[in-house]
Amino acid sequence: MIINNISVAIEALNKGSIIGLPTETVYGLAGNALNEKAVKHIYELKNRPTTNPLILHTHSLDEVSKYVIKIPPVALKLADAFWPGPLTLLLQKNASIPYCVTSGSEQVAVRIPNHPVAMSLLSSLAFPLVAPSANPYTRISPTTAQMVFDYFGTQLPVILDGGSCEKGIESTIIGFDGDEPIVYRQGAISIDAIEFVVGKVKYNVMHSVVTPGMSKVHYAPRTSMFIVDDVLEFISTNPGLKIGFIGMGDDFVGHSNITFVTLTKSNDLEEASANLYQSMYYLDGLNLDCIIIKKFPELGIGKALNDRITRATFNAR
Ligand code: TXA
Ligand code: MG
């Protein structure tokens, strides 16, 4: 049920139920992180391998310190700059966090979301929440309460409505090798913004092992999706195909076989990010032959958007 009433959500979570939770990035499937049954239920609902760990969500730095051994100075710098916000930090967990949250790892992923509904909920609870994106494994992450309902229906007693997610893609995940920040997942905070605070960062080349969620096929519509350089050429070499085209600015192509969706009228990458998953999801529902999209400029958040569309199109290559 999609509702606005936070006290109903609190009651459900206190009973060990799983709810749909709005955040500024994407909607999450949230449950009590300290309740192993609730955590297991999340994996079942998502049909997600239990080797793929979950992110802990809390409402303050003081809360974070209750669940980790320490917060290294470089992590603190990032926390100061971006929390609450779409940044997830990998920190050494303490004994209070069950291994089912971290898939057996000594590191726990933590973030403080910047969304009034999530904040107000988290500050009313006696426990932190784990919240993976509220989509079945490998599917497109939801950015509206309705998308969560479409995926899970009445399996969730409560889906809190927090409107359309402001950022529209997942948080940026940063881990640490001593003092050195390492990018595990590009996301809503650009790497340029991270580097502005902590200097040059490295990328985690082993992420297929350490961050199993970064599997090559992810965030994918069921309709085949392709990244194309030349849209007109694609259309002319594929006559008769019903094509969904996700574009920006003045990309519009007037053609009877094309359903065009624009991510932003003004080439604003932040706006494009906010609309990307909803546009993919919308076109996926139209029974088209394929969905095409152009690469984003490799600038700021454009790099994270390219990461997502590359994973969304992996099946199709
Ligand atoms: O924006 C977000 O981060 C959203 C919202 C709901 O907060 N959540 C989200 O969760 O994207 P999820 O589960 O869909 O993606 C979490 C990613 C996965 O790739 C997982 O493998 C990685 O974080 N991760 C979680 N805990 C980890 C850990 N202890 N070590 C390494 N990677 C971890
Ligand atoms: Mg996810």
Side-chain angles (χ1 to χ4, degrees):
M1 200 178 31
I2 300 177
I3 58 168
N4 291 307
N5 190 332
I6 289 184
S7 30
V8 178
I10 294 172
E11 207 178 301
L13 289 165
N14 281 334
K15 280 198 297 197
S17 297
I18 308 306
I19 69 155
L21 174 75
T23 82
E24 79 281 34
T25 56
V26 300
Y27 276 70
L29 272 187
N32 179 349
L34 310 182
N35 176 338
E36 297 195 26
K37 258 190 160 169
V39 175
K40 282 198 183 122
H41 191 193
I42 292 181
Y43 280 101
E44 285 160 13
L45 281 167
K46 271 186 75 84
N47 193 20
R48 167 159 163 162
T50 52
T51 48
N52 188 356
L54 306 178
I55 299 177
L56 193 79
H57 293 63
T58 68
H59 62 89
S60 70
L61 201 54
D62 275 354
E63 275 297 304
V64 173
S65 13
K66 288 186 193 165
Y67 306 110
V68 302
I69 290 171
K70 61 172 192 257
I71 307 179
V74 61
L76 212 49
K77 264 192 177 176
L78 288 171
D80 279 347
F82 299 111
W83 276 351
L87 172 71
T88 295
L89 298 178
L90 290 175
L91 301 170
Q92 291 292 111
K93 79 174 201 72
N94 68 22
S96 64
I97 300 297
Y99 282 111
C100 59
V101 167
T102 65
S103 304
S105 166
E106 292 303 330
Q107 301 213 26
V108 62
V110 191
R111 91 175 186 98
I112 303 177
N114 186 18
H115 189 291
V117 174
M119 265 297 188
S120 135
L121 180 68
L122 285 162
S123 18
S124 317
L125 294 168
F127 45 82
L129 295 174
V130 272
S133 52
N135 50 286
Y137 191 54
T138 76
R139 302 283 300 282
I140 304 168
S141 303
T143 54
T144 62
Q146 186 60 45
M147 279 172 81
V148 181
F149 185 83
D150 292 350
Y151 282 141
F152 295 103
T154 52
Q155 286 179 287
L156 302 176
V158 174
I159 299 168
L160 277 179
D161 193 357
S164 241
C165 300
E166 182 201 338
K167 300 292 180 188
I169 62 165
E170 295 81 353
S171 60
T172 304
I173 304 182
I174 306 287
F176 304 94
D177 180 6
D179 284 347
E180 250 184 319
I182 298 173
V183 179
Y184 280 71
R185 176 174 75 183
Q186 299 197 50
I189 295 177
S190 72
I191 300 308
D192 300 342
I194 301 276
E195 289 189 330
F196 188 75
V197 176
V198 290
K200 212 75 196 135
V201 296
K202 280 195 191 157
Y203 289 80
N204 175 34
V205 284
M206 296 286 287
H207 63 50
S208 59
V209 177
V210 185
T211 316
M214 296 311 288
S215 56
K216 288 197 167 125
V217 187
H218 214 131
Y219 318 103
R222 285 193 275 208
T223 313
S224 299
M225 184 160 156
F226 303 97
I227 298 175
V228 300
D229 297 327
D230 188 334
V231 174
L232 290 176
E233 189 193 306
F234 186 91
I235 295 169
S236 64
T237 49
N238 293 282
L241 279 195
K242 281 185 287 160
I243 301 170
F245 172 31
I246 302 177
M248 300 214 297
D250 46 21
D251 277 340
F252 177 74
V253 181
H255 190 289
S256 57
N257 283 351
I258 308 292
T259 307
F260 178 72
V261 174
T262 185
L263 296 174
T264 163
K265 290 213 166 82
S266 52
N267 287 313
D268 172 352
L269 287 176
E270 303 281 333
E271 192 185 359
S273 169
N275 291 324
L276 177 64
Y277 287 162
Q278 274 177 61
S279 304
M280 283 162 56
Y281 186 78
Y282 166 72
L283 291 176
D284 202 20
L286 297 185
N287 215 359
L288 301 166
D289 296 314
C290 65
I291 299 172
I292 59 174
I293 190 163
K294 291 202 296 194
K295 259 211 146 124
F296 294 93
E298 280 277 314
L299 285 172
I301 202 180
K303 292 180 192 160
L305 298 178
N306 283 333
D307 169 88
R308 296 305 190 271
I309 62 170
T310 304
R311 291 174 205 282
T313 51
F314 189 77
N315 260 338
R317 281 184 281 154

